[in-house]
Amino acid sequence: MSLKLQSSLLVWCTMALALVLTSPTRADLTDDQDHEQHPKMPSSRAYVELDEELDTKFWYDKAQSILADKLEHHKKLNENRAKNIILFMGDGMSVHTIAATRNYMGDSNKQVFFEKFPYVGLSKTYAVDERTPDSANTATAYLTGVKANYGTIGVNAQVKRKDCYAGADNSTHTQSIAQWAQEAGKWAGLVTTARVTHASPAGVYAHVANRAWEYDTKITKDGCSTEVNTDIARQLVEWPVGKDLRVILGGGRAYFRDKKMHDEEGILGLRTDGRDLIKDWQQDKKEQGAEGHYVWSRKGLYDLNLDKTDYLLGLFDVSHCPYHGDRTRSRLDYAEPSLSEMTEAAIKVLSRNEKGYFLFVESGRIDMAHHGTMARKALEDTKEFAYTVEMARKMTSEEDTLIVVTSDHSHTMSINGYPYRRQNIFSLAPNLATDEKPFTILSYANGPGYDNTYNENGRIDLTNVDTYQPDFKFQATVPLSSETHGAEDVGVFASGPKEHFFAGNYEQSTIPALMAYAADIGPFAQTKLKK
């Protein structure tokens, strides 16, 4: 071998060895990838360690306490018959919403009240014809025990949305647990922060092929006849289940009066049939010789003697009631009652029946805030919802009152990035994106928050933007005027008689069957199942 060739080989070997020594190995590449997937963020100056969490014994003691509670409940399964049932429904309250509310309350180790209930399950929310559901078909499921088509209420899946004739066919109508309760001699009622004719509360008493048919004009706009189809507001006042509801509290005054009629605040109604359904409701109670009271303000509700009220109708807004946080910010808390105040009044009225009651309570505006990608308002309403559940549990006994807390469907909001332990949930994540710009801890897969995410120059820099503002629209990936529902399962939390039945994963339509079995009413009464 020539000296020149030997020299060339030596140089090549030296370079190859250097390349081997400096090139990333497979292990190096994996390590870099792992660092990107699980970065170690700099410590937050605002973070203060909890001394007890540094001790192994703290976590062992906490687990021991939880284990002891579970063993105690297992020893004493509550097999009592439920005299009363309260179904709490957080509209759009996904598992992510509950987890984010914990952080809004101060820390990840917090619990919203109903998370302390001894039994938790998951329900599947799909519609018969759609994977992602709406509040109409889900209300039919968790209130009547029948899965239905998207947009329909109180009818089975033989009815397609806007089918004028199939929806009017009594053979397609389903029965709600409120009807089962009434037939058993119990009282029934509903409370909502939405309109009382909206999709979720309508599931208590209505049967329609389109959730939009809240008043007469909506039916004719869809090319159907009001002679064949009865709007939801009329069904509430005229049809048996709605007519016999002892408590109806929420919004939606405009849907009960003609467009030429002014309400108590001088606002015109929306109907075109010349009807004042509120007067019709009052006249019906008068003819019965019952104490029926209509109120439209918080003061009116508080001035009532609930001990002498047989029927209570409260319509506190022309449309939906305000977001809970806005009640304080806009000083509406003096004018309109909160969800907890309405629920307290409802329980006081219904508790007068010795045979018990069924009460449906909906926090309707969690969903609406999510649709607007206004996460702060959604969490404020969830916090009030949890407080209302806590108040109801304190007003009742676990021995005879079953409380079930659930949601109709989820939303696309997620908690992302690597926020510090007790960082404000409405702030920006501490880690920057690859474009060196920050992003919000809470974000949506789609919705109007897109306008705070992208512009013609790419991603928007939110460094100097106040993301704590109640109306701030959190970032979204896909531009839509309204954020969509999610299709994943939702939580079901139970406390009271037969609470242990609500563990596991099941169809949403199973929920009223379990409640009815616990109360021994309707088609799922224990005596009927034994036949």
Side-chain angles (χ1 to χ4, degrees):
M1 183 182 295
S2 68
L3 183 61
K4 186 177 181 180
L5 182 57
Q6 288 179 359
S7 177
S8 297
L9 284 172
L10 179 61
V11 171
W12 183 87
C13 290
T14 302
M15 291 176 63
L17 179 61
L19 185 63
V20 169
L21 292 174
T22 58
S23 296
T25 65
R26 190 172 186 179
D28 291 331
L29 290 171
T30 302
D31 189 58
D32 290 343
Q33 184 184 57
D34 189 67
H35 177 73
E36 288 183 4
Q37 293 173 347
H38 313 98
K40 175 65 176 75
M41 303 306 300
S43 298
S44 167
R45 294 180 180 180
Y47 175 71
V48 179
E49 292 179 334
L50 299 176
D51 290 340
E52 65 267 23
E53 291 189 355
L54 306 180
D55 190 346
T56 300
K57 185 176 183 299
F58 167 79
W59 299 106
Y60 277 19
D61 288 346
K62 191 169 188 176
Q64 288 276 18
S65 175
I66 294 171
L67 180 59
D69 285 343
K70 290 187 177 298
L71 289 171
E72 188 65 24
H73 272 97
H74 186 69
K75 288 178 186 176
K76 301 178 181 178
L77 292 180
N78 190 338
E79 293 285 5
N80 294 345
R81 177 178 175 179
K83 175 183 176 183
N84 313 308
I85 301 172
I86 306 178
L87 175 59
F88 280 94
M89 210 283 297
D91 198 319
M93 187 181 69
S94 61
V95 172
H96 289 95
T97 303
I98 299 170
T101 302
R102 287 188 221 127
N103 290 277
Y104 168 56
M105 291 166 57
D107 195 1
S108 299
N109 65 1
K110 300 286 186 182
Q111 280 186 305
V112 298
F113 178 76
F114 53 82
E115 287 184 294
K116 301 174 185 176
F117 282 6
Y119 291 92
V120 182
L122 291 170
S123 77
K124 295 179 279 189
T125 63
Y126 64 89
V128 169
D129 61 342
E130 298 282 352
R131 177 175 293 167
T132 302
D134 80 319
S135 295
N137 74 264
T138 52
T140 307
Y142 64 73
L143 285 166
T144 78
V146 177
K147 287 256 183 178
N149 291 323
Y150 189 99
T152 65
I153 303 172
V155 292
N156 63 30
Q158 296 174 41
V159 180
K160 300 294 184 182
R161 191 172 190 179
K162 298 184 181 182
D163 188 324
C164 308
Y165 295 99
D169 184 344
N170 289 342
S171 68
T172 67
H173 293 183
T174 59
Q175 295 182 343
S176 77
I177 188 172
Q179 180 176 344
W180 303 338
Q182 290 171 341
E183 291 173 350
K186 298 180 185 295
W187 288 358
L190 68 86
V191 172
T192 179
T193 54
R195 296 187 293 268
V196 297
T197 51
H198 208 236
S200 302
V204 173
Y205 59 86
H207 311 276
V208 287
N210 187 5
R211 59 177 288 175
W213 295 349
E214 295 182 62
Y215 59 100
D216 59 330
T217 311
K218 290 289 188 177
I219 296 176
T220 55
K221 280 185 177 180
D222 280 338
C224 295
S225 167
T226 55
E227 297 297 319
V228 176
N229 299 274
T230 304
D231 63 79
I232 296 173
R234 277 187 58 198
Q235 290 189 37
L236 179 56
V237 173
E238 298 175 357
W239 287 20
V241 178
K243 192 174 184 179
D244 199 35
L245 290 176
R246 294 291 179 140
V247 178
I248 305 163
L249 299 175
R253 277 199 306 267
Y255 293 65
F256 290 80
R257 289 190 172 117
D258 187 81
K259 64 180 182 179
K260 296 180 181 178
M261 299 176 182
H262 291 89
D263 71 2
E264 294 78 6
E265 295 180 294
I267 302 172
L268 290 170
L270 291 171
R271 304 186 65 83
T272 57
D273 57 4
R275 300 282 299 273
D276 183 339
L277 297 179
I278 296 173
K279 279 189 177 180
D280 292 347
W281 183 90
Q282 291 173 309
Q283 181 61 31
D284 175 69
K285 306 316 171 207
K286 184 177 180 180
E287 290 174 359
Q288 290 184 39
E291 287 290 327
H293 297 286
Y294 162 68
V295 293
W296 59 273
S297 67
R298 183 173 183 263
K299 183 180 184 301
L301 181 63
Y302 267 78
D303 286 346
L304 271 183
N305 183 347
L306 298 177
D307 291 333
K308 295 183 179 179
T309 298
D310 299 319
Y311 293 88
L312 173 59
L313 172 62
L315 300 175
F316 303 105
D317 206 297
V318 290
S319 185
H320 302 303
C321 297
Y323 291 109
H324 184 71
D326 286 349
R327 290 182 65 255
T328 303
R329 286 186 287 268
S330 302
R331 301 185 69 82
L332 293 171
D333 48 345
Y334 292 100
E336 299 188 31
S338 65
L339 179 68
S340 54
E341 291 170 335
M342 289 190 287
T343 303
E344 180 180 16
I347 292 174
K348 285 181 178 179
V349 171
L350 297 175
S351 295
R352 289 172 42 220
N353 184 15
E354 294 182 356
K355 292 185 177 180
Y357 58 85
F358 168 77
L359 173 63
F360 174 72
V361 180
E362 180 205 22
S363 180
R365 304 224 66 186
I366 299 172
D367 170 76
M368 298 174 204
H370 277 320
H371 279 305
T373 62
M374 295 183 292
R376 177 170 174 174
K377 290 188 177 184
L379 303 195
E380 288 173 338
D381 273 58
T382 305
K383 183 179 179 182
E384 165 66 7
F385 177 68
Y387 170 74
T388 304
V389 176
E390 180 177 10
M391 180 202 69
R393 185 70 288 175
K394 289 178 179 177
M395 289 181 70
T396 57
S397 169
E398 294 179 16
E399 295 302 309
D400 67 1
T401 303
L402 172 64
I403 294 182
V404 178
V405 181
T406 190
S407 176
D408 49 354
H409 54 73
S410 68
H411 273 274
T412 70
M413 187 196 77
S414 65
I415 307 169
N416 66 97
Y418 291 93
Y420 301 122
R421 169 70 181 275
R422 281 182 284 279
Q423 185 177 349
N424 189 305
I425 195 68
F426 305 125
S427 61
L428 301 173
N431 50 313
L432 299 178
T434 53
D435 58 7
E436 296 300 314
K437 295 175 183 177
F439 54 93
T440 51
I441 295 171
L442 298 177
S443 65
Y444 292 82
N446 55 62
Y450 180 89
D451 292 338
N452 285 327
T453 311
Y454 297 100
N455 59 22
E456 63 277 6
N457 299 316
R459 257 193 6 106
I460 296 171
D461 189 345
L462 296 179
T463 302
N464 298 313
V465 175
D466 185 1
T467 58
Y468 298 0
Q469 286 297 314
D471 291 320
F472 176 77
K473 292 177 173 57
F474 282 75
Q475 292 185 305
T477 308
V478 177
L480 286 177
S481 59
S482 178
E483 178 264 357
T484 70
H485 296 166
E488 66 268 19
D489 298 350
V490 296
V492 185
F493 306 82
S495 168
K498 305 296 190 298
E499 58 192 8
H500 46 286
F501 280 28
F502 292 85
N505 180 271
Y506 38 82
E507 297 287 359
Q508 192 172 47
S509 52
T510 306
I511 293 174
L514 298 177
M515 292 189 295
Y517 181 81
D520 199 22
I521 60 175
F524 301 98
Q526 298 170 35
T527 51
K528 291 185 179 180
L529 290 180
K530 290 176 181 177
K531 291 181 180 180

